[in-house]
Amino acid sequence: MLERPTCLLSIIIFLPSVFAILSLLLPMQKEWIRNLILFSSSLCSLLLALFLWNIFDVKNSGFQFSEFHEWIPKWGIAYAIGVDSISLLMVLMTAIVAFIAFLSTSYNCHNHDHDHDHDHDHNHNHPLPAIKYASAFYALILFLQTALYGTFLATDLFLFYFFWEIALIPMLFIIGIWGGSKRLKVTIKFFIYTLFGSLFMLIAIIALVAIHKENTGVLSAQYNILKQGQLAAYFDGSSPMAALSSPQLWLFLAFTLAFIIKIPIVPFHTWQPDIYEESPLLGAIFISALLAKMGTYGLLRFSIGLFAEVSNYISPLMCILGIVSILYGALCAWSQISMKRVIAYSSISHAGYILVGLFTLNAIGMTGGLYQMFNHALLVTGMFLMASYLFERVHTDNIREMGGLAKIIPLHSLALFILLLSLIALPGTNSFVGEFSILVGTFNMNIRMAPLLAFFVALGGIFSALYAFRFYHLIMFGAIYKKEKHKEHREPFLAFDLKIKEVLVMGIIALFILGLGIYPDLFFAKTKISITTKVMR
Amino acid sequence: MLNVQMHEVMLIQKIPSAIWPFLFPVIILSIFAILNLVIAPLLSSKHTKKGRTGVVFFMAVIALLLCTFSALFNFTLTSETLFAGLLVFDNLAKYSTIVLCLGGLFSIINLYESEIACDQREETPLPAEVYILLLFSLIGMIILASTTHLFMMFVALEIMSYSIYVMVAIRRTSKNSSEAGLKYFIMGGVSSAFFLYGLVLVFGNLGTLELTKASLALTLLNPHQILLLIVGSIMIIGALLFKVGAFPFHSWVADVYQGANTAITGFMASAVKFASFIMILRLTKYLFFASTTASTNASTNVSANSEAIFLVLSISALLTMIWGNVLAIQQSNIKRLLAYSTIAHTGYLLLAVLASQNSVRSFEALIFYLTAYFFSTLGTFAVLSLFRDKDDKNDKELESELTIDSLRGMGFKHHLLGVAFTLFLLSFAGIPLTAGFIGKFFLFSSILPKIHFTFVIVAVLTSLISLSYYLKLIAVMYMRGEERMYGVVDRLEYNPVNATTIIISFTAIFTLFLGIFPGPMLTIIASLF
């Protein structure tokens, strides 16, 4: 075993910020400097994450590499970070997604300089600022990465909330400045919507700390300490009325609301398709692959981790919510004609799987949920990159206006095919491992209607096949020129196939998809122990 | 009884030498203010108007600097009470003096610079008296923050208010300014009358105007008289609600903030509110919610009084939060928008006052929130004071007509100014990394167990509403894209290293620092009570 470095996690968290400040100071108009900074930042980040993964002690189920500094001692708030197997996976996910995204993005940016006639469609970066204020753009993205790492690694509830909220600020500007034509309305809606949930979480954190202080006399916002608090006494599940009047339920709901809005799960999803459609590519990748996972991570860590009794009580309800998401998301995706909206609704559907998995509350289902977080992050990164590659070639986001592309750009169609295989969770892909675990977990749930729930979860699989194949069919097969109005755009249809860099990016993703599908333990072995102990509690 | 009281007051104690340093800030300000009053007319014959303003300004700045240093020095001394409570130099008073002096200093510099800019545009700058008035109002504020005597409070309140009335109305040629001044003056006069009458009722019942003694007298009061006392207390509360611009008495705020010079608006929104809240805090602590602080067993008197006050304050607080935030949404004039946003902040601060019925900790939250708000407000109005919008009718640039749209593209045109302004707005909205977030967190955490849950829910929901208009401002600065880029910001040519910029950067850094490392400030504030 290697020697354990003391402030490894802090370095991981703040490294992107250092690069962000660097990028603000350096003249980023020169493209090679920009690429160099982005690439070196993401590479360092990835190497550090891999290093962490390598020296992580599997047998230890508690927090490792913990750091503790007093921050606001008067309120029992500390800068406390640590990594356990759940956050390890999240950190790795962030590093990998950021690496892939940055690897692909320099190409995109370059392409915008001589981007031609798509003024009728503003789905991409806003032409002027994206080039002129590139340094600010990338600095914001890097700050966002810091906030993400912080959220995943914080073991102090206040610190968690701090990073959780900070992540919103870069997002606000990324979408608000560089987003599409509807960006203003959409951004403000997104910001207020997510903050709506978060503020109740803040109140719940305050209440939780106050309750703990009352019981034990210890003023602390630390996760480990709060977990040992006598919260069980604050829940009475004997009758629905008793449950409704118990504080633990309301605390749970306040936390869960924040997370569910962020993921998002169905009744609270209305901000999401718009945001995915309007945000610039990098923003879309970060928000769908990583910010959404902040929510699922929060569910696992805080909602389930802190409020065991309520979670038990409410798990069927949450599973039903998840199933509604799965089916609703899939059906909506089926009827969309915009690529980004298909991806958005498919994300809602997948988030439903994750929710069901987490709230099966047994080891196999929760592990499946955790896998799916990682898998979906990769998948949605790939999907968004694919959508942008296609957009660059056919200059439309409307899948009805495409068609027959398989003949022109076969490599694309192969890459998209692999992604879609993962999306419908075919055996041999990584998602199969996750979704199958979730299915088994649902069956094994300790309630009478478990088989029924499992049936609906399985039904979701069929639904996803429906929209995935419609998506693929409309884009890749059929007649080549579909719409009259695109006559003037014929020329771009003579599109070039994947470029080297794109092949590289898609290759990495495909490697993950197939590799983890065939031998999942290679990657996921380290995550098992923590989940098991969580359920055993 | 009155005789005893007056005797007590009139008795000139021999002032011990240890007390003198505490009097320095007020003495320095008074001397310089009066000196300025004398000098200003003398200069006018020989010098140009500009030179005269410069001299007065220069002396005012020296006075404020001296005052700030002496206040900083005083902070290390032990607390004293003078003239049987007419002047109290406890930690709270010392702290308030420092903050108010800084606020006065920033405002006066900001005011002078925006007036110089005025001069370059061939507008008539404000007369030199405005700087003298600012000094006088500051004297009132400092005394207001350092007294526990109701009569002294009234005098200080009047010193402060009268200077402010004139400062608002001082641009005589502007219709907005005159209207604002008149409105403010008439309504303020009524509120002073309320205060005075309430004071009389309180004195008639309790036999003392000294708050520390009042809390004792309260427990001895004949229960039949309690109604009059309650009426008196409510009248005092009413006058104070007017001063801070809370719900039933908020209607002047928007007009006055719009009509006044932007730098003066900043001074009003920060310093007047700060001083008034310190007064409310003291009144609450000793008179209104006396049961918590007086260690006597809570008699029926005390609880009846505090319940009545609680009811009045809670209605006012709830409606202030809702009203301020809802009305702010539809404003298109920036100064009106910010005026309504300050009303909303008053609502949050009143929540802390309410919660103080059960816990002193909420006073700490109040002071923290107030301090955070104080500097963010100063910064915000300092930024705004750099801009003038064009009035189409007579082609004159009017600062009172500054619309939201005139900030278009500001974030791109002036990077650092945009960042600072965004920071202030985020601080108002209570987003992390800023002092406003810590303030809100502290506020919520101190009121949550103490008062009914509904208040917190309303506070949370209204602060969500507030986000919509703060975001609107941010959106205008950054997100309108290049179509019709730049409002009046395009015409702004400001020297990046002038004093206003230094003020803006100081307040911005302070806001950021307090948002990330609130520890030291919390320790200081904890020592105030």
Side-chain angles (χ1 to χ4, degrees):
Chain A
M1 180 109 324
L2 285 151
E3 200 186 321
R4 318 209 116 198
T6 47
C7 57
L8 179 62
L9 296 186
S10 284
I11 295 175
I12 289 182
I13 292 178
F14 291 107
L15 190 79
S17 279
V18 173
F19 277 100
I21 292 166
L22 212 63
S23 84
L24 281 176
L25 296 178
L26 290 177
M28 290 282 275
Q29 268 71 28
K30 289 215 171 59
E31 199 190 329
W32 65 270
I33 299 181
R34 198 162 65 206
N35 287 350
L36 186 72
I37 284 186
L38 274 181
F39 186 72
S40 48
S41 165
S42 58
L43 190 66
C44 288
S45 222
L46 183 64
L47 288 178
L48 278 173
L50 286 174
F51 177 62
L52 179 71
W53 183 70
N54 192 35
I55 63 175
F56 183 83
D57 181 7
V58 192
K59 291 177 188 67
N60 184 349
S61 68
F63 288 110
Q64 304 178 32
F65 307 101
S66 295
E67 287 171 44
F68 184 90
H69 303 287
E70 290 286 359
W71 185 17
I72 315 175
K74 263 179 74 73
W75 301 342
I77 289 166
Y79 174 77
I81 49 177
V83 60
D84 69 351
S85 54
I86 300 171
S87 33
L88 177 71
L89 192 65
M90 295 292 115
V91 167
L92 209 55
M93 174 186 84
T94 311
I96 291 172
V97 168
F99 182 74
I100 293 174
F102 288 155
L103 198 64
S104 60
T105 197
S106 50
Y107 163 75
N108 284 317
C109 231
H110 171 73
N111 211 35
H112 276 300
D113 291 12
H114 44 81
D115 219 348
H116 11 270
D117 48 358
H118 61 91
D119 45 340
H120 64 285
D121 206 331
H122 289 277
N123 283 325
H124 265 238
N125 294 1
H126 202 282
L128 171 96
I131 294 152
K132 201 168 178 189
Y133 302 103
S135 60
F137 181 81
Y138 292 117
L140 283 171
I141 287 274
L142 289 170
F143 280 128
L144 179 62
Q145 207 184 347
T146 287
L148 283 163
Y149 281 137
T151 316
F152 292 139
L153 291 174
T155 57
D156 182 288
L157 260 69
F158 184 83
L159 188 70
F160 167 78
Y161 183 82
F162 200 74
F163 280 123
W164 167 276
E165 287 281 273
I166 287 176
L168 271 182
I169 301 175
M171 219 59 236
L172 168 71
F173 287 103
I174 288 167
I175 304 171
I177 300 176
W178 292 277
S181 50
K182 283 187 296 180
R183 63 186 179 279
L184 265 185
K185 211 178 105 194
V186 164
T187 313
I188 289 178
K189 182 167 150 197
F190 161 69
F191 200 81
I192 293 179
Y193 214 139
T194 46
L195 213 68
F196 172 77
S198 308
L199 276 175
F200 284 107
M201 178 163 79
L202 179 68
I203 301 291
I205 290 174
I206 293 170
L208 194 63
V209 172
I211 287 175
H212 190 261
K213 171 105 190 299
E214 217 167 84
N215 283 345
T216 60
V218 181
L219 180 66
S220 171
Q222 287 241 62
Y223 176 76
N224 274 339
I225 295 174
L226 289 175
K227 203 170 151 71
Q228 289 150 12
Q230 284 74 42
L231 267 176
Y234 287 87
F235 184 70
D236 175 13
S238 55
S239 73
M241 274 322 286
L244 265 181
S245 59
S246 40
Q248 204 197 112
L249 181 80
W250 292 102
L251 291 177
F252 171 88
L253 286 181
F255 270 89
T256 309
L257 181 69
F259 300 142
I260 276 184
I261 288 177
K262 195 79 145 198
I263 298 173
I265 293 297
V266 151
F268 308 104
H269 68 287
T270 50
W271 59 267
Q272 186 244 30
D274 290 339
I275 281 288
Y276 283 19
E277 200 175 12
E278 292 303 311
S279 62
L281 175 63
L282 260 185
I285 290 176
F286 266 77
I287 204 167
S288 59
L290 302 177
L291 257 76
K293 300 306 171 293
M294 279 163 58
T296 51
Y297 167 81
L299 277 180
L300 180 55
R301 165 82 69 211
F302 297 103
S303 291
I304 297 176
L306 285 173
F307 311 107
E309 290 77 21
V310 180
S311 308
N312 246 325
Y313 184 77
I314 216 168
S315 74
L317 213 64
M318 299 300 285
C319 284
I320 290 171
L321 207 60
I323 287 169
V324 170
S325 262
I326 295 174
L327 299 180
Y328 178 84
L331 282 176
C332 285
W334 194 18
S335 61
Q336 295 304 314
I337 53 164
S338 146
M339 276 193 292
K340 286 186 174 175
R341 287 186 99 85
V342 171
I343 300 172
Y345 282 108
S346 87
S347 285
I348 293 176
S349 179
H350 279 92
Y353 278 108
I354 298 172
L355 186 71
V356 172
L358 295 182
F359 275 91
T360 56
L361 297 181
N362 51 38
I364 185 155
M366 289 167 85
T367 317
L370 193 61
Y371 287 9
Q372 274 310 89
M373 291 188 210
F374 185 86
N375 293 338
H376 176 252
L378 268 179
L379 171 66
V380 84
T381 310
M383 290 296 284
F384 268 118
L385 286 175
M386 207 61 210
S388 98
Y389 296 158
L390 285 174
F391 184 86
E392 269 156 24
R393 282 157 182 87
V394 297
H395 293 283
T396 174
D397 191 46
N398 188 339
I399 52 175
R400 283 189 185 283
E401 291 172 10
M402 303 177 195
L405 293 183
K407 292 168 202 155
I408 308 167
I409 40 177
L411 274 177
H412 271 98
S413 67
L414 178 65
L416 187 62
F417 191 67
I418 293 173
L419 287 173
L420 289 178
L421 286 187
S422 171
L423 190 140
I424 60 174
L426 210 75
T429 61
N430 56 353
S431 296
F432 174 71
V433 183
E435 283 189 14
F436 189 70
S437 306
I438 291 171
L439 203 58
V440 173
T442 321
F443 254 120
N444 289 348
M445 274 175 82
N446 222 350
I447 49 173
R448 244 195 320 181
M449 60 174 175
L452 191 66
L453 292 180
F455 168 74
F456 279 112
V457 174
L459 196 63
I462 299 173
F463 276 40
S464 63
L466 269 180
Y467 73 79
F469 285 132
R470 168 183 174 266
F471 186 64
Y472 195 70
H473 171 80
L474 284 176
I475 295 177
M476 293 301 175
F477 301 139
I480 293 180
Y481 305 114
K482 278 208 154 176
K483 285 268 177 281
E484 281 302 304
K485 101 174 200 226
H486 261 269
K487 279 219 165 113
E488 71 266 33
H489 283 306
R490 275 178 191 223
E491 176 219 5
F493 266 78
L494 306 169
F496 36 89
D497 214 349
L498 281 178
K499 288 181 175 174
I500 303 280
K501 199 175 227 168
E502 297 173 354
V503 172
L504 190 65
V505 168
M506 283 299 152
I508 293 174
I509 294 175
L511 207 64
F512 269 110
I513 286 175
L514 298 175
L516 293 181
I518 292 163
Y519 187 49
D521 261 11
L522 178 73
F523 210 67
F524 293 129
K526 297 218 173 193
T527 65
K528 276 184 178 158
I529 194 111
S530 202
I531 287 277
T532 323
T533 52
K534 209 159 283 297
V535 179
M536 290 304 171
R537 182 169 88 98
Chain B
M1 208 148 205
L2 186 68
N3 289 337
V4 175
Q5 184 69 25
M6 291 317 284
H7 177 71
E8 211 172 60
V9 172
M10 299 306 286
L11 184 78
I12 304 288
Q13 294 167 331
K14 190 172 184 326
I15 301 175
S17 56
I19 299 267
W20 279 109
F22 292 119
L23 297 175
F24 278 159
V26 176
I27 292 176
I28 293 169
L29 284 180
S30 310
I31 290 177
F32 272 86
I34 294 167
L35 211 61
N36 260 341
L37 266 185
V38 177
I39 288 177
L42 291 182
L43 288 172
S44 60
S45 55
K46 288 180 232 162
H47 299 262
T48 59
K49 201 165 187 189
K50 194 176 166 189
R52 173 178 160 232
T53 314
V55 171
V56 171
F57 166 73
F58 183 67
M59 285 182 63
V61 166
I62 287 179
L64 283 166
L65 278 176
L66 284 175
C67 188
T68 312
F69 284 127
S70 106
L72 279 172
F73 169 75
N74 286 349
F75 201 68
T76 55
L77 303 178
T78 50
S79 305
E80 300 279 355
T81 305
L82 202 57
F83 305 134
L86 276 183
L87 286 175
V88 174
F89 297 106
D90 55 1
N91 283 336
L92 183 60
K94 292 182 236 167
Y95 175 77
S96 314
T97 312
I98 296 173
V99 173
L100 288 170
C101 285
L102 278 178
L105 188 64
F106 290 171
S107 303
I108 210 167
I109 292 172
N110 188 6
L111 182 60
Y112 183 66
E113 287 216 329
S114 70
E115 287 312 305
I116 287 183
C118 241
D119 212 34
Q120 284 163 353
R121 278 194 301 267
E122 297 179 352
E123 294 169 41
T124 358
L126 297 180
E129 279 72 22
V130 72
Y131 306 105
I132 308 173
L133 286 167
L134 197 141
L135 292 188
F136 275 121
S137 72
L138 206 58
I139 294 170
M141 288 170 193
I142 291 173
I143 296 175
L144 196 58
S146 40
T147 176
T148 57
H149 198 282
L150 271 173
F151 195 73
M152 196 65 169
M153 278 184 187
F154 178 73
V155 174
L157 202 62
E158 291 305 287
I159 297 177
M160 173 182 91
S161 303
Y162 275 88
S163 318
I164 300 279
Y165 298 148
V166 184
M167 280 163 75
V168 170
I170 202 156
R171 176 158 282 152
R172 281 175 302 146
T173 47
S174 153
K175 214 176 79 184
N176 275 325
S177 174
S178 312
E179 181 199 337
L182 195 64
K183 234 176 211 171
Y184 192 26
F185 174 64
I186 292 174
M187 288 172 155
V190 174
S191 93
S192 295
F194 266 85
F195 190 93
L196 203 55
Y197 195 57
L199 182 152
V200 169
L201 286 179
V202 168
F203 180 74
N205 281 291
L206 299 179
T208 177
L209 287 171
E210 222 296 287
L211 288 177
T212 45
K213 287 175 191 154
S215 59
L216 281 174
L218 198 57
T219 55
L220 304 172
L221 188 64
N222 185 346
H224 301 303
Q225 291 172 304
I226 192 71
L227 193 63
L228 274 180
L229 179 72
I230 291 174
V231 171
S233 302
I234 288 177
M235 293 188 110
I236 293 180
I237 279 281
L240 295 182
L241 290 182
F242 173 85
K243 284 294 165 214
V244 295
F247 170 64
F249 311 112
H250 65 281
S251 51
W252 60 274
V253 178
D255 290 331
V256 173
Y257 280 21
Q258 186 191 4
N261 178 299
T262 308
I264 293 174
T265 311
F267 183 64
M268 285 167 64
S270 53
V272 172
K273 201 159 270 190
F274 190 92
S276 309
F277 261 105
I278 299 290
M279 180 169 67
I280 291 182
L281 193 157
R282 286 193 197 276
L283 279 168
T284 321
K285 195 173 170 190
Y286 294 117
L287 188 61
F288 299 152
F289 299 152
S291 56
T292 50
T293 43
S295 53
T296 51
N297 51 343
S299 63
T300 48
N301 288 341
V302 179
S303 61
N305 190 30
S306 80
E307 265 167 33
I309 300 285
F310 188 86
L311 185 69
V312 171
L313 271 182
S314 56
I315 292 170
S316 170
L318 282 179
L319 290 175
T320 309
M321 286 188 292
I322 296 170
W323 215 255
N325 279 318
V326 169
L327 285 187
I329 296 177
Q330 47 188 346
Q331 301 303 321
S332 60
N333 182 307
I334 290 191
K335 283 169 81 182
R336 287 187 85 84
L337 188 148
L338 287 173
Y340 283 111
S341 113
T342 64
I343 294 176
H345 283 286
T346 304
Y348 300 126
L349 289 165
L350 284 178
L351 275 191
V353 175
L354 275 179
S356 72
Q357 195 186 27
N358 300 315
S359 127
V360 190
R361 189 162 169 258
S362 68
F363 279 142
E364 293 176 32
L366 175 74
I367 297 290
F368 189 94
Y369 196 103
L370 205 51
T371 311
Y373 164 83
F374 186 90
F375 286 103
S376 304
T377 308
L378 276 178
T380 309
F381 282 100
V383 173
L384 287 185
S385 73
L386 296 170
F387 300 113
R388 296 283 190 282
D389 203 354
K390 220 171 186 102
D391 185 19
D392 290 331
K393 278 178 213 142
N394 46 8
D395 205 38
K396 256 177 82 177
E397 298 189 319
L398 287 175
E399 59 195 335
S400 53
E401 300 300 335
L402 196 68
T403 59
I404 291 178
D405 213 37
S406 44
L407 290 189
R408 209 178 328 116
M410 174 173 143
F412 293 115
K413 183 83 183 171
H414 309 286
H415 300 276
L416 291 176
L417 217 54
V419 169
F421 200 59
T422 308
L423 202 64
F424 297 137
L425 291 174
L426 291 180
S427 177
F428 285 147
I431 306 290
L433 274 185
T434 60
F437 168 68
I438 303 286
K440 275 225 169 86
F441 178 79
F442 197 3
L443 193 73
F444 288 165
S445 67
S446 71
I447 66 176
L448 191 59
K450 309 298 178 201
I451 58 177
H452 199 265
F453 199 65
T454 333
F455 291 98
V456 184
I457 297 290
V458 172
V460 167
L461 291 180
T462 49
S463 64
L464 273 173
I465 297 176
S466 77
L467 258 182
S468 68
Y469 56 85
Y470 293 129
L471 284 183
K472 193 159 76 177
L473 281 179
I474 294 177
V476 164
M477 284 195 299
Y478 284 100
M479 299 168 191
R480 281 288 178 78
E482 56 175 347
E483 82 274 13
R484 298 166 58 226
M485 198 77 163
Y486 303 143
V488 286
V489 291
D490 198 28
R491 296 205 298 278
L492 171 73
E493 281 173 20
Y494 75 108
N495 180 4
V497 280
N498 64 11
T500 306
T501 325
I502 293 170
I503 291 167
I504 293 169
S505 18
F506 176 86
T507 44
I509 289 168
F510 186 79
T511 305
L512 198 61
F513 179 80
L514 225 54
I516 301 175
F517 304 107
M521 188 49 106
L522 289 173
T523 320
I524 292 174
I525 285 173
S527 74
L528 300 184
F529 296 99

